[in-house]
Amino acid sequence: MLRENMLDLNRNTALAIAGICGTAFIGYCVYFDKKRRSDPEFKKKLRERRSKYAKQVGPSGTTFPDLRDVEAVQKFFLAEVQRGEELLALGNYEDGVEHLTNAIAVCGQPQQLLQVLKQTLPPPVFAMLLEKLPSINQRLATSPTVAQKKPDDVTTATITDVDDLE
């Protein structure tokens, strides 16, 4: 009997201590967050970090790989083609075409890829793709990984013979 009372007391004490520690931890988190947010430099640093990220990602939301890194370009190409196909299968044609244009932008042989896409995509979707082609080179040129290089370092294929595909 005495032993059961002792165990109940130890269990209750342990639960009380755990509750007090949990409450103290949450209180510390709230205090630290309030102190961090009230810091005048916090908002400035947050804005700088967000603008730096926005510049990195670019207007289309895609960060292109370093075009000198063949493995990164191949990985990016395959991921963009796969994502584009998935979105097209789901009926999201705008975003699917966006990903396919990103893949065309880094493709070593864009004319052959366009020929394959012409045969596999429905005509309205392929027409959307052709409409977006002129913006590819502009997006690629404004990409941070390309913008940091000298113009003669860029070894991307340009897509100028779109009329041959129609």
Side-chain angles (χ1 to χ4, degrees):
M1 180 88 172
L2 182 62
R3 186 172 175 98
E4 289 176 10
N5 287 339
M6 201 71 157
L7 288 175
D8 286 339
L9 182 64
N10 286 339
R11 188 177 311 146
N12 289 339
T13 304
L15 289 174
I17 290 173
I20 291 170
C21 289
T23 304
F25 177 73
I26 291 173
Y28 173 75
C29 290
V30 169
Y31 166 77
F32 181 75
D33 189 52
K34 182 174 171 67
K35 186 168 177 85
R36 179 182 59 100
R37 287 178 182 250
S38 64
D39 182 18
E41 292 294 313
F42 170 72
K43 289 183 181 178
K44 183 179 176 184
K45 289 178 184 177
L46 186 62
R47 280 190 212 105
E48 288 174 1
R49 206 176 314 136
R50 286 181 180 168
S51 67
K52 182 180 177 184
Y53 177 75
K55 287 178 186 175
Q56 219 176 24
V57 171
S60 69
T62 302
T63 303
F64 288 97
D66 183 1
L67 298 176
R68 294 175 286 187
D69 185 0
V70 177
E71 186 177 322
V73 170
Q74 287 176 347
K75 188 175 183 181
F76 177 81
F77 172 78
L78 292 173
E80 289 296 300
V81 169
Q82 181 180 8
R83 186 67 181 143
E85 289 175 349
E86 289 172 358
L87 290 169
L88 290 175
L90 294 172
N92 189 347
Y93 298 119
E94 285 288 326
D95 291 337
V97 167
E98 183 76 23
H99 285 280
L100 289 175
T101 56
N102 292 337
I104 292 168
V106 298
C107 182
Q109 299 172 343
Q111 292 298 328
Q112 291 178 350
L113 178 60
L114 285 170
Q115 288 292 339
V116 169
L117 292 174
K118 182 179 182 183
Q119 295 170 358
T120 58
L121 294 176
V125 175
F126 187 72
M128 288 172 53
L129 184 72
L130 291 179
E131 289 174 15
K132 291 195 179 237
L133 285 180
S135 67
I136 292 174
N137 290 331
Q138 180 183 9
R139 280 195 324 220
L140 192 59
T142 59
S143 174
T145 56
V146 176
Q148 295 171 353
K149 301 177 200 169
K150 297 176 189 173
D152 56 306
D153 283 351
V154 179
T155 59
T156 59
T158 58
I159 301 171
T160 55
D161 301 328
V162 174
D163 296 331
D164 296 341
L165 297 171
E166 294 176 357

